[in-house]
């Protein structure tokens, strides 16, 4: 399995000292509404593992959106892999995005594609050859417990299976930065732990991981540093358990 | 349920298209492109046939000339015509010259005056028909020179005016056919651009997921372009085949000249439909690229 896509050479390799994600005084708003995120200062170093917590509506998903370049900040400076995101031309964004894996809260699976094709999507987009990635994807799907459903369509999957598929798609390219939005929302405790172990494993392999979750048990169990969003402002990081 | 990797591998033989197929839209679009290609092919075949007809007419007109003889005092019209024919027959670039007698001149007027309605004492211009050498035809000046040398008072009509008219008509027909082909291509391009917009609009979620997975705009464009180029190529093949079949039927059952003397079809004209599928695919590819890039950049 390739770690990066075909044109990753465009992006600077992040050295150990270069933060993978760096926010300075970042704000974000939707349209003309008041800011949902205010004065966010955040640094994620390479190989770190953080939880992002906060009550519903605190802005966890919005913060992730800023990181995976789905939304522009209303102010402040965002640097990703050492590059200032706001000044990057549109053509440079895909190379950065290919260094990230994202598990969306609402999964965002493609309903017309099979489980296999959904999971393989990042590799395909990165120019991977089917013959080269087929075996890796099948093994990954087996690992997340979907080996028997590789030809199934997402509409036939349960919520938990969809979640596992979304995780598989996010990690298939072994991304440098993994953003996970509520990974255990629809899975049982055992599968939740399994997903967490997968995330930890990827973290050990060098991926920087940020997990947005309000699953207190999961967060406390992990013992990883916690960033807390409240009223659009960021607190922490603190080493668990939650206050 | 147990997992067998070998079974899983055989279940996945090739990647599925990243854009969902839209059978209804594709069928309608294919039909429209097919009809446009059919009309474009008929237009091309008709243009070739009319060009051939015009060339034939030009060749016929250019291969002969008509001389109107005015008799001198004391000379009968027949004598003057015979003298002119004799003078012209020996001129360089003339294959044959023959004087028309009065009966032949009357036959030429019959369509306008009716048979038997021409009084015997009506003075008729006497004509000499000159067949020119096909390889090196004499021009009007050479004919006039031969007539002057023989002391014949006559005016030469080398059909230049008619040839110019036929040439102009041929040029207009060719330009009209080319214009029609361009119009068909532009219409096809516009239809495909519209379909591209509709596809990107209805598949916005797919496009967004592809972008978030790191797809370049050109990757997305390539997906749409490939799909519509194949569709247009298939529709072009259908349109071209239908037009060729119709033209072949015209040739087979339309009589000696293919359809009419005005449109003398030849079998080789049917080859004009061959580039159609390729051109249709190329037009689709260009239209998709332009439309999709502008939409994606504006998004």
């Amino acid at each position: 399995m390739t770690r990066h896509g075909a044109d990753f050479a465009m992006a600077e390799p992040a050295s150990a000292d270069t933060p993978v994600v760096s926010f300075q005084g970042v704000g974000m708003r939707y349209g003309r509404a008041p800011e949902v995120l205010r004065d966010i200062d955040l640094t994620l170093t390479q190989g770190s593992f953080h939880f992002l917590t906060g009550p519903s509506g605190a802005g966890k998903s919005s913060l992730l959106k800023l990181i995976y370049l789905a939304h522009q900040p209303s102010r402040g400076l965002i640097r990703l892999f050492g590059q200032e995101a706001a000044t990057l031309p549109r053509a440079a964004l895909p190379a950065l995005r290919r260094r990230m894996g994202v598990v969306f809260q609402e999964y965002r699976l493609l309903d017309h594609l099979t489980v296999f094709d959904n999971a393989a999507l990042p590799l395909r987009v990165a120019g991977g050859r089917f013959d080269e990635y087929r075996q890796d994807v099948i093994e990954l799907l087996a690992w997340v417990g979907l080996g028997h459903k590789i030809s199934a369509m997402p509409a036939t999957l349960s919520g938990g299976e969809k979640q596992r598929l979304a995780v598989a798609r996010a990690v298939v390219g072994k991304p440098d930065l993994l953003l996970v939005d509520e990974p255990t929302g629809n899975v049982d405790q055992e599968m939740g732990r399994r997903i967490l172990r997968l995330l930890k494993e990827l973290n050990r392999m060098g991926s920087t991981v940020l997990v947005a979750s309000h699953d207190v048990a999961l967060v406390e169990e992990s013992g990883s540093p916690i960033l807390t969003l409240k009223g659009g402002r960021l607190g922490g990081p603190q080493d668990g358990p939650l206050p | 349920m147990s997992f067998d990797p070998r079974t899983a591998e055989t279940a996945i033989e090739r990647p599925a298209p990243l854009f969902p197929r839209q059978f209804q839209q594709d069928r309608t679009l294919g039909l429209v492109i097919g009809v446009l290609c059919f009309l474009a092919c008929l237009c091309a075949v008709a243009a070739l046939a009319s060009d051939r007809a015009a060339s034939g007419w030009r060749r016929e007109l250019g291969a002969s000339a008509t001389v109107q003889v005015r008799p001198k005092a004391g000379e009968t019209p027949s004598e003057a015509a015979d003298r002119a024919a004799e003078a012209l027959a020996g001129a360089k670039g003339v294959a044959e010259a023959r004087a028309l007698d009065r009966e032949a001149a009357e036959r030429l007027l019959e369509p306008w005056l009716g048979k038997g309605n021409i009084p015997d004492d009506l003075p008729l211009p006497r004509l000499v028909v000159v067949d020119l050498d096909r390889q090196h035809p004499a021009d009007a000046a050479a004919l006039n020179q031969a007539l002057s040398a023989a002391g014949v008072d006559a005016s030469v009509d080398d059909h230049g005016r008619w040839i110019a008219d036929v040439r102009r008509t041929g040029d207009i027909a060719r330009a009209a056919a080319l214009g029609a082909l361009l119009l068909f291509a532009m219409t096809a391009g516009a239809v495909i651009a519209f379909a591209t917009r509709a596809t990107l609009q209805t598949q916005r979620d797919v496009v967004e997921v592809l972008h978030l997975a790191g797809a370049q705009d050109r990757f997305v464009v390539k997906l749409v372009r490939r799909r519509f180029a194949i569709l247009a190529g298939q529709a072009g093949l259908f349109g071209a085949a239908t037009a060729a079949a119709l033209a072949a039927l015209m040739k087979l059952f339309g009589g000696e000249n293919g359809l009419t003397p005005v449109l003398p079809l030849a079998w080789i004209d049917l080859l004009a439909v061959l580039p159609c599928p390729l051109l249709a695919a190329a037009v689709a590819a260009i239209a998709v690229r332009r439309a999709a890039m502008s939409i994606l950049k504006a998004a």
Side-chain angles (χ1 to χ4, degrees):
Chain A
M1 212 179 325
T2 55
R3 186 170 180 86
H4 302 312
D7 51 4
F8 274 12
M10 290 173 68
E12 287 176 23
S15 71
D17 299 333
T18 310
V20 173
V21 178
S22 169
F23 279 35
Q24 288 174 29
V26 171
M28 175 188 166
R29 59 160 53 97
Y30 292 100
R32 293 183 176 180
E35 283 188 331
V36 291
L37 295 175
R38 286 187 289 277
D39 304 319
I40 302 289
D41 292 314
L42 166 68
T43 301
L44 300 180
T45 54
Q46 193 182 6
S48 63
F49 190 115
H50 286 84
F51 274 99
L52 178 64
T53 64
S56 290
K60 299 190 293 293
S61 297
S62 297
L63 183 62
L64 295 187
K65 273 184 189 173
L66 286 177
I67 300 176
Y68 63 74
L69 303 167
H71 208 284
Q72 288 284 324
S74 52
R75 60 192 167 92
L77 183 71
I78 297 178
R79 292 181 75 81
L80 298 169
F81 304 105
Q83 298 181 77
E84 195 180 328
T87 58
L88 283 174
R90 180 181 170 86
L93 299 184
L96 277 186
R97 283 178 176 147
R98 286 184 205 173
R99 299 181 70 175
M100 305 179 205
V102 186
V103 180
F104 302 98
Q105 190 172 5
E106 66 281 19
Y107 319 129
R108 305 197 73 162
L109 302 172
L110 299 182
D111 286 338
H112 64 286
L113 295 182
T114 62
V115 165
F116 174 88
D117 283 320
N118 264 289
L121 188 68
L123 300 177
R124 206 166 152 185
V125 162
R129 288 186 51 201
F130 177 72
D131 291 340
E132 289 170 0
Y133 65 67
R134 178 166 64 170
Q135 188 57 38
D136 291 332
V137 174
I138 289 172
E139 283 173 14
L140 175 64
L141 287 170
W143 199 89
V144 296
L146 292 174
H148 61 293
K149 293 217 167 179
I150 59 170
S151 299
M153 304 308 282
T156 66
L157 302 181
S158 68
E161 287 171 331
K162 286 179 181 174
Q163 191 122 36
R164 279 138 61 194
L165 175 54
V167 170
R169 185 180 62 183
V171 304
V172 73
K174 296 181 183 168
D176 290 328
L177 173 61
L178 187 58
L179 305 170
V180 189
D181 201 356
E182 302 291 355
T184 56
N186 287 298
V187 294
D188 59 34
Q189 208 173 18
E190 176 50 33
M191 185 47 71
R193 286 202 184 93
R194 206 165 164 182
I195 287 173
L196 188 60
R197 276 205 303 278
L198 170 63
L199 300 179
K200 288 277 189 186
E201 179 63 28
L202 284 161
N203 179 237
R204 268 194 292 278
M205 288 168 66
S207 291
T208 305
V209 181
L210 179 61
V211 182
S213 176
H214 63 260
D215 184 343
V216 177
L218 181 82
V219 173
E220 286 186 341
E221 193 178 312
S222 81
S224 299
I226 299 162
L227 303 164
T228 309
L229 263 175
K230 205 169 183 182
R233 292 179 193 275
L234 194 61
Q238 58 191 350
D239 295 328
L242 284 171
Chain B
M1 194 180 293
S2 64
F3 168 68
D4 179 355
R6 281 170 303 179
T7 312
E9 268 197 64
T10 51
I12 303 296
E13 287 178 349
R14 58 184 174 150
L18 288 178
F19 270 108
R21 289 183 185 275
Q22 295 171 290
F23 291 105
Q24 189 65 39
Q25 182 193 308
D26 287 2
R27 208 166 34 229
T28 309
L29 183 65
L31 182 68
V32 172
I33 304 293
V35 169
L36 286 171
C37 288
F38 169 74
L39 294 173
C41 287
L42 280 189
C43 194
V45 169
L48 286 176
S50 62
D51 198 49
R52 179 175 298 102
S55 297
W57 294 338
R58 275 204 312 272
R59 212 167 31 247
E60 289 299 316
L61 286 169
S64 66
T66 308
V67 176
Q68 187 177 335
V69 183
R70 288 177 288 276
K72 286 186 171 175
E75 189 181 35
T76 65
S78 293
E79 286 169 350
D82 288 342
R83 207 153 54 82
E86 193 179 337
L88 290 168
K92 197 176 173 189
V94 174
E96 189 187 353
R98 58 187 183 283
L100 296 184
D101 55 17
R102 183 175 171 88
E103 287 71 32
E106 284 182 4
R107 278 200 298 276
L108 291 174
L109 290 174
E110 276 175 6
W112 289 273
L113 300 178
K115 196 169 183 177
N117 291 333
I118 301 170
D120 290 340
D121 56 349
L122 180 71
L124 293 180
R126 301 307 297 272
L127 302 174
V128 175
V129 175
V130 183
D131 293 333
L132 301 173
D133 180 19
R134 297 262 173 175
Q135 300 300 322
H136 306 288
D139 59 10
L143 297 178
N144 273 322
Q145 197 178 3
L147 290 166
S148 299
V152 178
D153 181 18
S155 50
V156 175
D157 177 3
D158 63 354
H159 306 155
R161 189 163 66 85
W162 304 108
I163 291 172
D165 282 351
V166 169
R167 181 174 288 123
R168 194 161 53 246
T169 306
D171 289 347
I172 289 170
R174 207 167 24 244
L178 193 65
L181 287 176
L182 280 175
L183 208 62
F184 287 132
M186 284 167 61
T187 308
V191 170
I192 289 166
F194 182 78
T196 301
R197 285 178 185 279
T199 297
L200 291 179
Q201 188 67 28
T202 52
Q203 305 301 330
R204 204 167 31 194
D205 289 347
V206 177
V207 174
E208 205 175 328
V209 169
L210 289 174
H211 274 149
L212 291 174
Q216 296 270 15
D217 285 346
R218 64 171 182 267
F219 179 88
V220 178
V221 170
K222 203 171 150 187
L223 294 175
V224 189
R225 192 175 58 194
R226 181 182 153 77
R227 174 176 152 196
F228 282 131
I230 291 173
L231 182 72
Q234 289 169 340
L237 190 65
F238 167 76
T242 313
L246 185 62
L249 286 176
M250 286 175 177
K251 173 78 181 151
L252 284 173
F253 300 108
E256 194 182 337
N257 287 309
L259 185 59
T260 70
V262 181
L263 285 176
L265 277 173
W267 287 113
I268 198 166
D269 293 348
L270 270 56
L271 295 180
V273 308
L274 283 182
C276 182
L278 215 61
L279 286 175
V283 166
I286 293 167
V288 167
R289 185 178 159 71
R290 284 178 64 91
M293 282 308 263
S294 72
I295 293 164
L296 293 174
K297 278 183 179 159

